[in-house]
Amino acid sequence: MEMIELGRTGTQVSKLALGAMQMGGVTSEADSIRILDRYREAGGAFLDTADCYEWWRHVGSRGGESEELLGRWLRAGNHRDQVFLATKGSAVPAYSPDLWDADGNPDWELARKTFEGAGADTLRHALDGSLRRLGTDHVDLYYVHVDDLGTPLEETLEALSGLVTAGKVRYLGWSNVRTWRLERIRQLCERHGWVAPVALQQQHSYLRPKAGNTSASIVGAEQQDYLATHPDLQLVAYSPILKGIYDDPAKRSGHWMMDNYEGPDVDARLAVLAEVAAELGTTPNRTVLAWLLHQNDPSVIPLIGPRTVEQFEDLIPAVDVKLDASQLARLDAAGA
């Protein structure tokens, strides 16, 4: 697997990252270990998790299952020095029995209203909990998981900078955040001498958000332009294949993931995607990942989160899919 510089840090990471959100939850421990082992065998070394994963899977959970599983895997195989390890804080909701209904389904509206946020003490305690579960004295990348508009940025940034100074974190990142906030964050860091974020984790795929989309979590045209002119801020793209909808027309019909994309632009891009995938003798899902891996303005690190070993094995060949200039141009130009 190819390596790529993370922003302008000088640190090399694998060009395809592996998300562990479902590990310790819907994905069994045995299958999780197999996926992690296969990823390392393929040359992968960029692992991503969060302290909230996956509280919503079990009534009464406070999250941390994914970090605990990764900690066991890291210790068992002495893998810690072989991987670039990222985790996140700020998105654990305040505990309430109302977070789940009688059937065990999570109440996401309530959760979003009660995220613990990015206060200084909250982040310090959250990171210490993550380090304990992961069984390490530091993480390589620490994200603010959900941008917290209720806490002064100065408080958050000073605390995060202190975590780097203390040696508990090497680099900082932000996720689910609007472009104007990124610029404000960067200005404050420059003004006060605080450590600035080097990574932005957002939802990003081949389909473009529909007109009128208001999500702070999806890369739009403005944010893409911002990233292209600030190459020191690395884009890490989560949900790059949108839950696998590219391979299955029946699956994407009515799928909630399509709510932010539906429109005439989708049909036009899917048609060209299918043509190019057929030319390459591969799947649309892999072709999307390959297209993202070819991007350099801005550069993109796709973050896959396979639920099963079979899904991982289906996606990993994407690292060897090569798109020529003509195919890239057609994919880029496609649209209503």
Side-chain angles (χ1 to χ4, degrees):
M1 190 179 301
E2 291 183 26
M3 305 295 282
I4 184 175
E5 183 182 5
L6 184 76
R8 293 293 183 267
T9 63
T11 296
Q12 297 288 310
V13 297
S14 50
K15 204 168 183 181
L16 184 70
L18 178 64
M21 182 178 76
Q22 301 181 94
M23 297 181 183
V26 68
T27 305
S28 70
E29 179 132 358
D31 282 352
S32 298
I33 297 302
R34 181 58 181 153
I35 292 169
L36 289 162
D37 287 343
R38 283 288 295 116
Y39 177 66
R40 286 292 300 127
E41 290 167 9
F46 188 170
L47 299 178
D48 180 274
T49 186
D51 64 347
C52 67
Y53 296 157
E54 285 189 297
W55 69 261
W56 53 92
R57 292 291 177 188
H58 308 289
V59 174
S61 170
R62 305 303 296 131
E65 292 90 348
S66 171
E67 290 180 329
E68 290 172 350
L69 186 147
L70 280 180
R72 291 190 290 273
W73 178 78
L74 290 168
R75 289 189 297 273
N78 197 27
H79 295 296
R80 179 63 189 93
D81 293 336
Q82 303 168 355
V83 298
F84 186 89
L85 182 61
T87 194
K88 316 177 196 73
S90 77
V92 176
Y95 177 76
S96 166
D98 295 330
L99 280 172
W100 302 268
D101 64 20
D103 296 321
N105 300 307
D107 184 338
W108 279 105
E109 184 175 354
L110 176 60
R112 292 186 181 98
K113 291 177 180 176
T114 61
F115 285 152
E116 62 184 1
D121 286 341
T122 298
L123 289 175
R124 293 186 193 106
H125 287 113
L127 177 61
D128 284 344
S130 291
L131 294 177
R132 183 178 64 255
R133 288 185 291 272
L134 290 164
T136 184
D137 62 356
H138 76 282
V139 291
D140 298 296
L141 177 59
Y142 192 60
Y143 293 97
V144 172
H145 198 167
V146 178
D147 193 28
D148 176 10
L149 298 176
T151 299
L153 272 175
E154 291 86 349
E155 176 183 340
T156 299
L157 292 168
E158 185 175 22
L160 289 171
S161 194
L163 296 177
V164 175
T165 301
K168 295 181 177 182
V169 174
R170 289 178 65 197
Y171 301 113
L172 299 172
W174 228 271
S175 186
N176 303 300
V177 60
R178 297 192 185 280
T179 307
W180 71 266
R181 287 277 285 180
L182 287 174
E183 179 59 20
R184 180 66 174 152
I185 288 164
R186 291 164 64 90
Q187 289 178 359
L188 286 170
C189 287
E190 182 175 2
R191 182 183 307 166
H192 294 281
W194 293 327
V195 179
V198 302
L200 171 67
Q201 188 175 133
Q202 297 281 88
Q203 184 172 307
H204 185 55
S205 188
Y206 176 62
L207 295 185
R208 296 180 288 215
K210 66 184 180 183
N213 172 69
T214 60
S215 174
S217 302
I218 301 176
V219 176
E222 180 188 40
Q223 195 161 86
Q224 191 149 354
D225 286 347
Y226 185 85
L227 290 165
T229 55
H230 296 85
D232 56 318
L233 192 59
Q234 177 68 55
L235 175 57
V236 180
Y238 74 79
S239 295
I241 58 169
L242 303 179
K243 306 297 183 183
I245 56 90
Y246 291 103
D247 279 1
D248 188 351
K251 183 175 183 179
R252 63 177 173 262
S253 178
H255 196 290
W256 63 267
M257 184 60 85
M258 294 299 295
D259 291 347
N260 289 306
Y261 299 93
E262 288 173 325
D265 191 63
V266 168
D267 295 335
R269 287 178 82 79
L270 287 174
V272 174
L273 176 66
E275 291 173 3
V276 173
E279 292 169 9
L280 296 167
T282 191
T283 67
N285 279 340
R286 292 178 195 160
T287 305
V288 167
L289 287 176
W291 178 79
L292 289 167
L293 289 166
H294 280 75
Q295 300 305 298
N296 54 26
D297 194 25
S299 70
V300 180
I301 298 176
L303 172 63
I304 60 170
R307 178 174 51 83
T308 66
V309 176
E310 291 74 21
Q311 288 177 354
F312 175 82
E313 297 293 354
D314 184 62
L315 293 177
I316 195 64
V319 299
D320 295 319
V321 174
K322 302 301 179 186
L323 297 160
D324 64 30
S326 173
Q327 290 166 331
L328 284 169
R330 286 160 55 203
L331 288 167
D332 291 343

